[in-house]
Amino acid sequence: MCNSYYEKILATGEVKCIDEEIPFDIPAGWEWCRFSSLYLSLTDGTHSTPKYQDYGIPFISVKDMSSGKLNFNNTIYISQEEHNILTKRCNPQKGDLLLSKVGTTGIPLIIDTESDFSIFVSLALAKFSHDFVNPEYLIYLIQSPLVQNQASENTRGVGNKNWVLSAISNTLMVLPPYKEQCRIVNKIRILEPCLEKYTNSFLKLESLNNSINETLKKSVLQEAIQGRLVPQIAEEGTAQELLDQIQAEKQRLVKEGKLKKSALTSSVIYKGDDNEFINMIRQIKSTFLAY
């Protein structure tokens, strides 16, 4: 009998089997986790419409990043004073993750500019440690069918759909060891020109569908997050070690007053030895209470 996956909610102590959520097997040394285990903080832009003006600080919404890159060509502006107020709650900085959450959901990008700007409620902002999570791997992971399907399934509303922060935080993700994340990124970089070449050829054939680029990329990304794109090297450590280090970093920042205690990971996912997972639960509970 295969081992099952269990999730313990640290705030309540509830333990539940989540086998129905696990869509595929992953290599040894990889870990399933919620998105909340990977980031340091998750916020969204202001929920109130600010006062616009002809110049000042760019105010970004989904339309300004829907291509996967920040575009300031047609942005609107707010005052420096209002920007200063907004950044006390949500401060976009170079290296952070922007994620569309209203309308067209699930578009990710890593901020690559040091220029100041503020964001509207249609965007989420995640801060994370680049020492543990490769930014490009995170982008590919979010673009993969695993996350995109969850983004589609978990949006609320009928017209202008909203992927709320709680649903984003609860998104199921897969984490390889850090060096393997880097190898996956390098492999996809090598394959992308091939995908583009096949796309160009494909589009020349009138009788064929013109969606091969997206189809092939999804296939490559799916292979990547299932651990079949590059070899696993046990000596490089495990994703569990990364999750432990991220949690330790969160605890350090909480003690220093730089993060709220609510930023601490709210759950853990592990593969249990059916009916023999009580010791692990006690160990997790003991660690959490000790903190």
Side-chain angles (χ1 to χ4, degrees), residues 187-229:
K187 188 70 171 182
I188 292 176
R189 286 176 181 170
I190 293 172
L191 291 173
E192 281 188 326
C194 297
L195 301 180
E196 184 177 355
K197 179 180 178 181
Y198 277 111
T199 299
N200 292 335
S201 298
F202 187 82
L203 292 175
K204 295 177 181 178
L205 303 176
E206 295 181 352
S207 63
L208 297 179
N209 190 290
N210 66 358
S211 63
I212 191 172
N213 184 57
E214 190 65 18
T215 301
L216 288 176
K217 187 171 184 179
K218 285 182 178 179
S219 297
V220 170
L221 295 176
Q222 187 66 23
E223 291 291 299
I225 65 171
Q226 288 188 244
R228 297 199 292 252
L229 193 62

Side-chain angles (χ1 to χ4, degrees), residues 1-278:
M1 180 173 62
C2 295
N3 292 340
S4 291
Y5 285 93
Y6 298 91
E7 182 173 16
K8 178 179 175 62
I9 308 302
L10 300 181
T12 64
E14 177 190 1
V15 175
K16 60 179 180 179
C17 179
I18 59 168
D19 282 348
E20 72 283 355
E21 290 191 61
I22 304 299
F24 48 79
D25 292 330
I26 55 176
W30 292 36
E31 292 295 335
W32 287 103
C33 63
R34 301 294 180 187
F35 187 32
S36 60
S37 296
L38 300 184
Y39 60 70
L40 300 175
S41 65
L42 179 68
T43 53
D44 56 7
T46 178
H47 292 223
S48 301
T49 302
K51 182 179 180 181
Y52 302 139
Q53 55 186 44
D54 294 334
Y55 59 89
I57 304 298
F59 186 68
I60 300 299
S61 63
V62 173
K63 70 177 179 61
D64 303 304
M65 55 82 68
S66 58
S67 67
K69 296 183 180 296
L70 276 177
N71 186 342
F72 295 97
N73 292 337
N74 297 305
T75 188
I76 52 182
Y77 299 93
I78 61 175
S79 68
Q80 180 70 57
E81 292 73 20
E82 188 153 20
H83 169 70
N84 292 341
I85 294 173
L86 295 181
T87 54
K88 291 180 180 179
R89 173 180 173 273
C90 181
N91 184 21
Q93 294 175 307
K94 186 175 182 179
D96 293 344
L97 173 76
L98 278 183
L99 185 63
S100 63
K101 59 181 284 286
V102 174
T104 305
T105 59
I107 301 172
L109 68 78
I110 300 297
I111 299 174
D112 61 358
T113 178
E114 294 182 355
S115 300
D116 290 337
F117 64 90
S118 282
I119 62 174
F120 197 38
V121 65
S122 56
L123 298 179
L125 177 75
K127 294 182 179 290
F128 64 99
S129 174
H130 292 207
D131 294 333
F132 309 124
V133 181
N134 183 298
E136 290 185 74
Y137 172 77
L138 183 58
I139 292 294
Y140 290 139
L141 176 61
I142 293 173
Q143 291 174 337
S144 73
L146 170 67
V147 175
Q148 289 297 307
N149 289 342
Q150 293 178 81
S152 177
E153 293 169 359
N154 295 323
T155 53
R156 300 178 182 176
V158 177
N160 211 22
K161 293 186 177 182
N162 186 4
W163 193 21
V164 298
L165 289 182
S166 59
I168 295 174
S169 179
N170 198 51
T171 300
L172 191 66
M173 294 192 168
V174 60
L175 184 70
Y178 185 81
K179 288 186 179 180
E180 189 157 351
Q181 296 174 37
C182 297
R183 291 202 302 277
I184 289 171
V185 167
N186 291 334
K187 188 70 171 182
I188 292 176
R189 286 176 181 170
I190 293 172
L191 291 173
E192 281 188 326
C194 297
L195 301 180
E196 184 177 355
K197 179 180 178 181
Y198 277 111
T199 299
N200 292 335
S201 298
F202 187 82
L203 292 175
K204 295 177 181 178
L205 303 176
E206 295 181 352
S207 63
L208 297 179
N209 190 290
N210 66 358
S211 63
I212 191 172
N213 184 57
E214 190 65 18
T215 301
L216 288 176
K217 187 171 184 179
K218 285 182 178 179
S219 297
V220 170
L221 295 176
Q222 187 66 23
E223 291 291 299
I225 65 171
Q226 288 188 244
R228 297 199 292 252
L229 193 62
V230 297
Q232 288 83 55
I233 301 175
E235 292 76 9
E236 293 177 352
T238 68
Q240 183 59 56
E241 293 170 350
L242 290 181
L243 291 173
D244 292 342
Q245 291 172 25
I246 294 172
Q247 183 69 355
E249 177 72 3
K250 289 184 181 182
Q251 292 176 347
R252 181 183 69 79
L253 292 174
V254 169
K255 290 180 179 178
E256 294 177 358
K258 297 179 180 178
L259 282 180
K260 295 181 180 179
K261 192 172 182 180
S262 59
L264 294 176
T265 300
S266 60
S267 70
V268 291
I269 297 174
Y270 57 91
K271 193 171 187 179
D273 185 9
D274 292 334
N275 299 321
E276 296 183 5
F277 56 93
I278 299 301

